[in-house]
Amino acid sequence: MKKIINKPEDYVNEMLEGLYAAHPDLITYTNDDLRCLVTAKKKAGKVGIATGGGSGHLPLFLGYVGEGMLDGCSVGDVFQSPSAEQMAAVTREIDDGAGVLYIYGNYNGDIFNFDMAAEMVDFEDDIRVESVVAGEDVASAAPGAPGEKNTRRGVAGIIFVYKCAGAAAAAMLDLDNVKRVAEKAAANVRTMGVALTPCTVPRVGEPGFSIGDDEMEIGMGIHGEAGIRRGKLEPADQIVDEMLDKIVADLPYAAGDEVAVLINGLGATPLDEQYIVTRRVDQYLKEKGIRVHRYYVGEYATALEMAGFSISLLKLDDELKTYLDAPARTPFFVA
Amino acid sequence: MKKIINKPEDYVNEMLEGLYAAHPDLITYTNDDLRCLVTAKKKAGKVGIATGGGSGHLPLFLGYVGEGMLDGCSVGDVFQSPSAEQMAAVTREIDDGAGVLYIYGNYNGDIFNFDMAAEMVDFEDDIRVESVVAGEDVASAAPGAPGEKNTRRGVAGIIFVYKCAGAAAAAMLDLDNVKRVAEKAAANVRTMGVALTPCTVPRVGEPGFSIGDDEMEIGMGIHGEAGIRRGKLEPADQIVDEMLDKIVADLPYAAGDEVAVLINGLGATPLDEQYIVTRRVDQYLKEKGIRVHRYYVGEYATALEMAGFSISLLKLDDELKTYLDAPARTPFFVA
């Protein structure tokens, strides 16, 4: 795999240096650590919102720090959790007395470190922290009964949780209510992806897995986690229908529902193809009587140079719609 | 090459159907032809701005139609010019008595058809049309003396011409002045690209050329036109330095100049790598004493699933800076 990089071990920090050079009006860092990214637009008295996770998913996670969404992000190595110390440093910087909400994806390393960071800032700094763990990937749902531990991976749909919670915080809701909005968004979003090619972690230098030249894998995760079915590459419409059948049945989404839709490129899939997907999604949802409030199409959560895409639906009520449509300005998201 | 498509012959129209489904508030089409794309936000009495070109370059060209940039775009097959008839239909729709400016890239097919379209609407509809042909690719400059016919291909830097001219038109300048602003932007932008992989036109089904597994081609065009040097893939900083040496010397850009910078991914290059490039561009320009007004990083003009990137510089004066920073809202550009 060809990469436009210098030394693989400098990959994350050099990416961050470029990011700070390009967006000095929106983001900066704290604790003398490039990986403790915080907003340059701190709003007094507001609930802080922090996220974090491994690198290799731009614009996820750090790209949504700015105005009207997130206030901080701790940045890990490629596909690895940042440390609890980094999360705690970000938390201290963004807290302004109203407490901090953590929103992050359902991965063991992140859960472990975010829980530890929450304990640290509670004990050492008396900062109140609440957490919402986003996990909406239909492909990784456990087959068990409702109410069991959430086994779903957090993937692109977390953007909707960021956006709604970020707007609620910007509207000066208190921590309990910002958490309530985040939980509502998280509970109403579902995602499924498909991968056509693997991706290569720079330090490793070779793909973590392989997919045949004529194959795709439905349900593959953004770190290459196994999906639910591998098979021959099919026409776009057929792939979309299979994914939407599973997504729509899962929540379920029903006729008369109003949704926001995210068509997300995983890294190497051209926008043209993402719009060919959008076309079929639109036809499918019309047939089901599900109304679309708005579409987001593009790269929102990637897996390095993986080819493929994901589809996320967010079921809306009036409150979520208001927060989704509220203004925001970050390096990768302007609304 | 794996593509998420249905029938290759439906590629462009299905992409357009997806685009209209996703952005009904911003764009629509005229003449009962999906490929005659026009703004849904027409502003009375304003100079219209039209562009056009082959598909396969999203967000270029059509993605910049909306508010504050372009008013219409005729859409060709992949890597092929739209017809003069399509251009004329777009022109008729967007003219509101103030005339229309064509801004398009320096390719023979486009020049031929846009010139014919201008004649058609002048003769049949009495619409005044002026044209600015953008060509800023340093790699395709003829070695001859200044003042010769412009041999430079139009690539990603055309975005700057769209943005400045679009803002001038939105400010209700007349056609002569909108053209003057477009020409000034076009004269002050320079671009160079590098390609790491080829791309495949859907109807053709195989790559139009090949690049060795350890090779790159500096200066390659967005349709795979030959560049100025093919060689072993080098570290990111070294590639950036070679490209910037040529770009900076070409205008030339000098210490004390203020510029806008576009780091543009060609389709399959992750954002992380684009920011590693941005880091070195920022270091280089600082060393040269060239000030950066703002950065744009992401996919602005692509070549299907080609891996690689381009760098564009726009030298600013107060007028261009004002127009660059003015608000705009299109499916792919919000400012």
Side-chain angles (χ1 to χ4, degrees):
Chain A
M1 192 59 221
K2 291 172 172 178
K3 290 182 185 288
I4 300 159
I5 60 173
N6 295 298
K7 293 181 190 157
E9 59 268 33
D10 296 332
Y11 183 85
V12 173
N13 281 10
E14 289 189 352
M15 175 273 287
L16 288 169
E17 287 175 32
L19 202 80
Y20 292 120
H23 308 291
D25 52 324
L26 289 171
I27 51 170
T28 183
Y29 56 94
T30 188
N31 213 34
D32 282 332
D33 182 350
L34 291 171
R35 300 184 181 204
C36 295
L37 186 149
V38 295
T39 179
K41 301 276 190 181
K42 196 167 168 177
K43 188 171 174 181
K46 188 182 81 68
V47 168
I49 304 182
T51 191
S55 291
H57 303 300
L58 281 186
L60 208 61
F61 299 88
L62 53 83
Y64 302 100
V65 175
E67 286 181 296
M69 285 182 87
L70 308 177
D71 301 289
C73 178
S74 38
V75 180
D77 251 324
V78 176
F79 294 179
Q80 292 182 17
S81 176
S83 71
E85 288 71 20
Q86 289 168 320
M87 294 166 179
V90 166
T91 309
R92 289 181 193 110
E93 180 63 29
I94 68 172
D95 177 57
D96 199 38
V100 172
L101 179 66
Y102 291 165
I103 304 173
Y104 57 93
N106 191 17
Y107 297 95
N108 288 336
D110 295 318
I111 294 170
F112 180 85
N113 286 312
F114 270 110
D115 282 350
M116 189 184 300
E119 283 182 30
M120 288 163 66
V121 298
D122 174 30
F123 185 75
E124 297 167 19
D125 310 274
D126 206 24
I127 299 172
R128 185 181 158 212
V129 170
E130 295 288 336
S131 295
V132 173
V133 181
E136 23 69 80
D137 177 16
V138 172
S140 45
E148 284 187 2
K149 180 174 177 296
N150 185 6
T151 59
R152 299 171 196 268
R153 295 187 291 264
V155 283
I158 198 171
I159 312 305
F160 287 139
V161 187
Y162 291 162
K163 181 66 190 71
C164 293
M172 301 307 281
L173 269 62
D174 65 16
L175 181 55
D176 289 330
N177 274 296
V178 175
K179 183 183 181 186
R180 179 185 58 75
V181 170
E183 284 178 334
K184 181 160 63 170
N188 283 286
V189 63
R190 290 293 184 275
T191 299
M192 186 170 275
V194 60
L196 272 61
T197 67
C199 58
T200 299
V201 175
R203 278 183 198 265
V204 177
E206 55 190 42
F209 57 97
S210 65
I211 302 182
D213 279 348
D214 58 350
E215 285 185 330
M216 63 175 180
E217 183 159 327
I218 301 249
M220 175 166 280
I222 56 174
H223 312 94
E225 296 95 335
I228 53 174
R229 182 174 81 78
R230 186 176 286 212
K232 296 285 179 204
L233 182 60
E234 293 165 358
D237 288 0
Q238 205 171 322
I239 302 172
V240 168
D241 288 357
E242 178 172 349
M243 291 163 72
L244 277 176
D245 281 349
K246 292 198 162 53
I247 293 169
V248 166
D250 191 280
L251 190 68
Y253 301 87
D257 284 351
E258 189 168 14
V259 297
V261 180
L262 170 62
I263 313 294
N264 172 58
L266 289 177
T269 286
L271 259 173
D272 310 61
E273 298 177 28
Q274 295 172 40
Y275 276 101
I276 288 172
V277 167
T278 302
R279 166 189 169 274
R280 182 61 194 162
V281 171
D282 197 65
Q283 291 175 341
Y284 183 105
L285 294 177
K286 277 201 173 80
E287 285 162 17
K288 297 281 184 191
I290 298 169
R291 293 170 297 144
V292 177
H293 174 60
R294 63 193 298 171
Y295 282 99
Y296 300 82
V297 185
E299 294 184 350
Y300 288 80
T302 64
L304 297 165
E305 70 284 347
M306 188 184 279
F309 67 95
S310 64
I311 303 172
S312 304
L313 301 188
L314 170 68
K315 183 175 165 180
L316 295 167
D317 63 7
D318 287 344
E319 184 182 44
L320 289 182
K321 202 170 5 174
T322 301
Y323 290 135
L324 192 69
D325 292 343
R329 180 172 291 270
T330 80
F332 298 100
F333 190 97
V334 183
Chain B
M1 190 61 223
K2 292 173 176 176
K3 291 184 185 286
I4 299 159
I5 60 174
N6 295 299
K7 292 182 192 156
E9 57 269 31
D10 296 332
Y11 182 86
V12 173
N13 282 9
E14 290 189 349
M15 175 272 288
L16 288 168
E17 287 176 29
L19 204 79
Y20 292 120
H23 309 290
D25 52 325
L26 289 171
I27 51 171
T28 183
Y29 56 94
T30 188
N31 213 34
D32 283 331
D33 182 350
L34 291 172
R35 299 184 182 205
C36 294
L37 185 149
V38 295
T39 179
K41 301 275 191 182
K42 196 167 168 178
K43 188 171 173 180
K46 188 182 82 68
V47 169
I49 304 183
T51 192
S55 292
H57 303 299
L58 280 187
L60 207 62
F61 300 87
L62 52 85
Y64 303 101
V65 175
E67 285 181 297
M69 284 182 87
L70 306 177
D71 302 289
C73 179
S74 37
V75 180
D77 250 324
V78 176
F79 294 180
Q80 291 182 18
S81 176
S83 71
E85 287 70 20
Q86 290 169 318
M87 294 167 180
V90 167
T91 309
R92 288 181 194 112
E93 180 63 29
I94 69 172
D95 177 56
D96 199 39
V100 172
L101 179 65
Y102 291 164
I103 304 174
Y104 58 94
N106 191 16
Y107 298 94
N108 289 336
D110 295 318
I111 293 169
F112 180 85
N113 286 313
F114 270 110
D115 282 351
M116 189 184 299
E119 282 181 33
M120 288 163 64
V121 299
D122 173 31
F123 185 76
E124 297 167 20
D125 311 273
D126 205 24
I127 299 173
R128 186 180 158 212
V129 169
E130 295 288 334
S131 294
V132 173
V133 181
E136 22 71 74
D137 177 16
V138 172
S140 45
E148 284 187 3
K149 179 173 177 296
N150 185 8
T151 59
R152 300 171 194 270
R153 295 186 291 265
V155 282
I158 197 171
I159 312 304
F160 287 139
V161 186
Y162 290 161
K163 180 66 189 70
C164 293
M172 301 307 281
L173 268 62
D174 65 16
L175 181 55
D176 290 329
N177 274 297
V178 175
K179 183 183 182 188
R180 178 185 58 74
V181 170
E183 284 178 333
K184 181 158 66 171
N188 283 286
V189 63
R190 291 292 184 275
T191 298
M192 186 170 273
V194 60
L196 271 60
T197 65
C199 58
T200 298
V201 174
R203 277 184 199 265
V204 178
E206 54 190 43
F209 57 96
S210 65
I211 302 183
D213 279 347
D214 58 350
E215 284 186 330
M216 63 176 179
E217 183 157 328
I218 302 250
M220 176 167 280
I222 56 173
H223 312 94
E225 296 94 335
I228 54 175
R229 183 174 81 75
R230 186 175 286 212
K232 296 283 180 204
L233 182 61
E234 294 165 358
D237 289 1
Q238 205 170 321
I239 302 172
V240 169
D241 288 359
E242 179 174 349
M243 291 164 72
L244 277 176
D245 281 349
K246 293 200 161 52
I247 292 170
V248 167
D250 191 279
L251 190 69
Y253 301 87
D257 283 352
E258 189 168 13
V259 297
V261 180
L262 170 62
I263 314 295
N264 172 58
L266 290 177
T269 287
L271 259 175
D272 310 62
E273 298 178 28
Q274 295 173 38
Y275 276 100
I276 289 172
V277 167
T278 302
R279 165 189 170 274
R280 182 61 194 163
V281 170
D282 196 66
Q283 291 175 341
Y284 182 106
L285 294 177
K286 276 200 173 76
E287 285 162 16
K288 297 281 183 191
I290 297 169
R291 292 169 298 143
V292 177
H293 173 60
R294 63 192 300 170
Y295 282 98
Y296 300 82
V297 185
E299 292 184 352
Y300 288 81
T302 64
L304 297 166
E305 69 285 345
M306 188 184 279
F309 68 95
S310 65
I311 304 171
S312 304
L313 301 188
L314 170 68
K315 183 175 165 180
L316 296 166
D317 63 8
D318 287 344
E319 184 183 43
L320 290 182
K321 204 175 352 181
T322 300
Y323 290 135
L324 192 68
D325 292 345
R329 180 172 291 269
T330 79
F332 297 100
F333 191 97
V334 183

